[in-house]
Amino acid sequence: METILTDTNNFETIIRTGAVYVDKTELLEKIGPCSYSIFVRPPRFGKSLNMSMIKSFFEMNYADPANKSKPKELFQNLQIMKNQEFCEKYMGEYPVISISLKSVRGKTFEEALKAFTEIIIDLYKSFADVLYSSPKLNREYDYCTLDFFAKLDIENLDWTNPHSISSIVLGINKSLEVLTYLLFKAFGKHTIVLIDDFDEPLRDAAAYGYYENMREVTSGMGNAVLKTNSNLQSGILTCSILVALDYGIDHLSVYETDYEYYSTMFGFTYEETEELLKRLNLDSHTEDVIEWYGGYNFANNKMVCPESLLKFCADVLTSPDPVTFEPKNYRIDAEEKEIIKYSLQNNDYLFSECLQNLLDGDSYQTNISVLSKYYPINKEMNPFWAFDLLFFRGFLTLVKTDSKTGNDYVVIPNREVLDFFGLTTKEIFNATKLNWKEKALAFKEALFNNDKDKVQTLINELLINFVSVRDTAYESFYQEFLTSVLSVTIAPDHEELLSKSENGLGFAYTIINNTIESKVAIIEYKKAEKGETFKKICEEALKQIEEKQYSHKYEQKDYSICKYRITFSGKTCWVAMP
């Protein structure tokens, strides 16, 4: 069985273990050794692995610069080796500085700055032996500069002292530029600088109110190493949000998902996906994989999210029954949940309607802005900025741009994203949300009391204030929405909430019963299609409830039975009873 590594983005580790790798080495030829680029892609699309691959190819052997055996071994079976001239000229030729800023997080500036400092310390330590042993470095000046970070004890720093903080910020600002100088002095070669997840430090900074402080750190470092640096060979950044423009780093070429030349270099094409599944003997899952993890459009190339696909493949291969294994949601990012929670709870009617249409499977017409800044996710945020953020974070994808008007049309790409909306909605409706519990209790009471009109009114109020989660094919999204609402009301000692439970000769979507009062409410859901009327659907459904004996076991126990058929269309519902 082939190995699939889902917990590392280290190119060398993947190749040396013989793990599954979808060849993206064509990117090396495309960027060359003199690239000044920013690649903007959603999270989970292989940015970090590509940066690791670039490092492995171009990085020299510092102990023996003429020895290129390591990169030759790593790339020997990959596409790039077909271009012998390129490999002979550039492989293993340059010093490479490579860092990721993904871990620069914290609720305070000091906490995030400490994480940033640890990254720089580790970077300097990785070069310490090479540089200290170089006869070309000046022992007084150069060693002193190297010592500042290579021998810095982070635990002994006073993180409450403003002067100490200022000194660290200044040091980070100059850290990469100084390291390129030291490497050039030691080896006589310009340095390739790779900074992965360049925007990550600003996520928490925006959320916790220290944006400008962190902006000073990252922009200072980026500008120093990437602008007017005579020791720089190449500079490549990756990000989800184009914060480099906000930093003033505006001389690099920006490549977003709509740029054709690099469009298939991040993520898996449908052809690559099919080949991988066939190689793993999982080609019977191709249709499900595309539905769940595909649907992304990068310059008219259909793409699949690689992280989700590889996790799915790893789970299938270790499953006791690979044939019947079903796709699932692998998205767990907490910030994305906060964005969606904000979106679902937003009371702006126009915004809610636009999001509702997206969840219905329709496209949304917009003008996608080039996001160059993170904003805090709160009530003061422009609600429509959430659409831009959801787009750049991979929850929406571009389907077309009108050449006459310049309007962009975006859609939700796949079932995984829809499922993520559903899971997040369930988190909203829980017992800690006391402001909803009163309305949920009233809804349950109306169900048990045969109060059809009140049931309909309460559901419509819920739909107006919350965007229900669904798409055009599945009534289950409505069912999950209202079941989540009812779940906050259940008294576990004498009430039971069943969802999609087998009863009689068929299936009921939701059943709630009270064993003390011998009451049960049976609810079936239907989403109205175009041309269908509420009245006709409800009449047919109630007839089906009777014919399929949904209430059979409760009739045997002499329960008071309330039967409902709820038909949905947009943000409106119609409730019928026998």
Side-chain angles (χ1 to χ4, degrees), residues 4-181:
I4 300 176
L5 298 182
T6 60
D7 58 351
T8 181
N9 290 311
N10 186 287
F11 175 80
E12 181 176 350
T13 300
I14 291 171
I15 298 302
R16 290 199 183 282
T17 57
V20 168
Y21 174 68
V22 175
D23 195 334
K24 295 292 180 179
T25 57
E26 182 186 355
L27 177 62
L28 296 165
E29 295 178 85
K30 288 177 175 286
I31 61 172
C34 302
S35 177
Y36 298 89
S37 308
I38 305 175
F39 291 101
V40 183
R41 290 294 186 278
R44 310 167 76 247
F45 267 81
K47 298 190 295 294
S48 298
L49 179 55
N50 274 348
M51 293 289 262
S52 179
M53 181 262 292
I54 294 169
K55 178 180 185 291
S56 293
F57 182 86
F58 286 113
E59 188 168 37
M60 66 188 295
N61 184 328
Y62 301 107
D64 183 6
N67 185 348
K68 300 183 180 182
S69 60
K70 180 179 177 180
K72 285 181 178 179
E73 180 185 358
L74 292 175
F75 288 87
Q76 61 181 332
N77 297 317
L78 298 175
Q79 181 179 335
I80 189 62
M81 295 303 288
K82 295 178 181 179
N83 190 336
Q84 293 183 5
E85 181 182 354
F86 183 86
C87 292
E88 289 175 3
K89 189 173 183 180
Y90 301 120
M91 177 184 281
E93 282 292 323
Y94 303 97
V96 178
I97 294 172
S98 179
I99 61 172
S100 170
L101 302 184
K102 190 172 186 177
S103 62
V104 181
R105 310 297 296 268
K107 293 184 178 181
T108 66
F109 175 58
E110 292 74 23
E111 184 181 349
L113 185 63
K114 186 176 182 179
F116 210 138
T117 306
E118 288 175 335
I119 290 171
I120 302 301
I121 290 174
D122 290 343
L123 175 67
Y124 268 74
K125 285 182 177 179
S126 70
F127 285 103
D129 290 343
V130 170
L131 293 174
Y132 280 128
S133 63
S134 173
K136 297 180 180 180
L137 263 60
N138 181 287
R139 287 185 175 273
E140 289 187 20
Y141 176 75
D142 295 333
Y143 276 30
C144 180
T145 304
L146 184 56
D147 287 348
F148 182 82
F149 277 111
K151 295 183 179 181
L152 185 64
D153 185 354
I154 197 168
E155 297 303 328
N156 288 332
L157 293 174
D158 186 356
W159 295 97
T160 63
N161 187 321
H163 295 293
S164 177
I165 296 293
S166 296
S167 177
I168 291 297
V169 169
L170 181 60
I172 293 176
N173 286 167
K174 302 294 289 182
S175 60
L176 299 191
E177 180 191 21
V178 168
L179 191 51
T180 63
Y181 159 78

Side-chain angles (χ1 to χ4, degrees), residues 181-412:
Y181 159 78
L182 294 173
L183 289 169
F184 181 79
K185 195 168 184 180
F187 300 101
K189 292 189 174 186
H190 297 146
T191 299
I192 294 175
V193 174
L194 310 174
I195 307 178
D196 191 28
D197 291 313
F198 192 58
D199 57 327
E200 284 298 309
L202 276 301
R203 292 177 68 183
D204 279 358
Y208 296 110
Y210 57 89
Y211 190 93
E212 290 303 319
N213 289 339
M214 183 54 70
R215 181 180 180 276
E216 179 186 352
V217 181
T218 45
S219 64
M221 182 189 72
N223 277 293
V225 71
L226 298 172
K227 274 189 172 181
T228 65
N229 180 3
S230 60
N231 301 305
L232 184 67
Q233 172 68 30
S234 177
I236 301 176
L237 311 180
T238 69
C239 57
S240 299
I241 305 298
L242 197 55
V243 295
L245 297 182
D246 186 45
Y247 293 167
I249 306 173
D250 52 7
H251 64 293
L252 304 183
S253 299
V254 177
Y255 301 111
E256 298 185 80
T257 56
D258 60 349
Y259 192 82
E260 171 66 30
Y261 190 61
Y262 294 107
S263 59
T264 62
M265 293 296 98
F266 298 84
F268 296 164
T269 65
Y270 279 14
E271 292 77 14
E272 290 169 335
T273 299
E274 290 170 2
E275 289 174 8
L276 175 61
L277 292 172
K278 187 175 182 180
R279 170 182 162 186
L280 298 173
N281 294 318
L282 299 176
D283 44 318
S284 63
H285 292 280
T286 300
E287 186 176 336
D288 284 342
V289 163
I290 297 299
E291 180 183 4
W292 270 82
Y293 311 122
Y296 292 95
N297 178 29
F298 294 174
N300 295 320
N301 291 288
K302 294 296 184 180
M303 306 296 290
V304 174
C305 176
E307 183 176 313
S308 293
L309 173 57
L310 290 174
K311 288 182 176 180
F312 169 77
C313 291
D315 285 348
V316 175
L317 292 176
T318 56
S319 167
D321 189 2
V323 175
T324 60
F325 189 91
E326 295 184 355
K328 64 180 181 179
N329 184 357
Y330 293 100
R331 289 181 172 271
I332 57 173
D333 194 296
E335 191 203 28
E336 264 68 57
K337 285 188 177 182
E338 290 305 311
I339 298 168
I340 292 177
K341 284 179 181 179
Y342 167 81
S343 303
L344 291 170
Q345 292 172 305
N346 184 277
N347 288 321
D348 183 280
Y349 177 76
L350 182 59
F351 173 84
S352 296
E353 282 299 306
C354 293
L355 184 57
Q356 187 70 72
N357 290 336
L358 284 168
L359 294 166
D360 272 337
D362 296 332
S363 64
Y364 166 62
Q365 178 181 314
T366 184
N367 292 105
I368 298 172
S369 304
V370 177
L371 286 184
S372 60
K373 185 176 182 179
Y374 273 103
Y375 296 89
I377 302 167
N378 56 34
K379 293 180 179 179
E380 284 70 42
M381 185 181 78
N382 182 337
F384 285 92
W385 176 79
F387 282 132
D388 288 340
L389 185 55
L390 289 172
F391 172 80
F392 284 102
R393 300 295 293 182
F395 285 85
L396 301 174
T397 191
L398 183 70
V399 287
K400 68 176 181 178
T401 299
D402 191 311
S403 59
K404 294 182 179 180
T405 65
N407 289 332
D408 300 311
Y409 293 83
V410 296
V411 298
I412 289 176

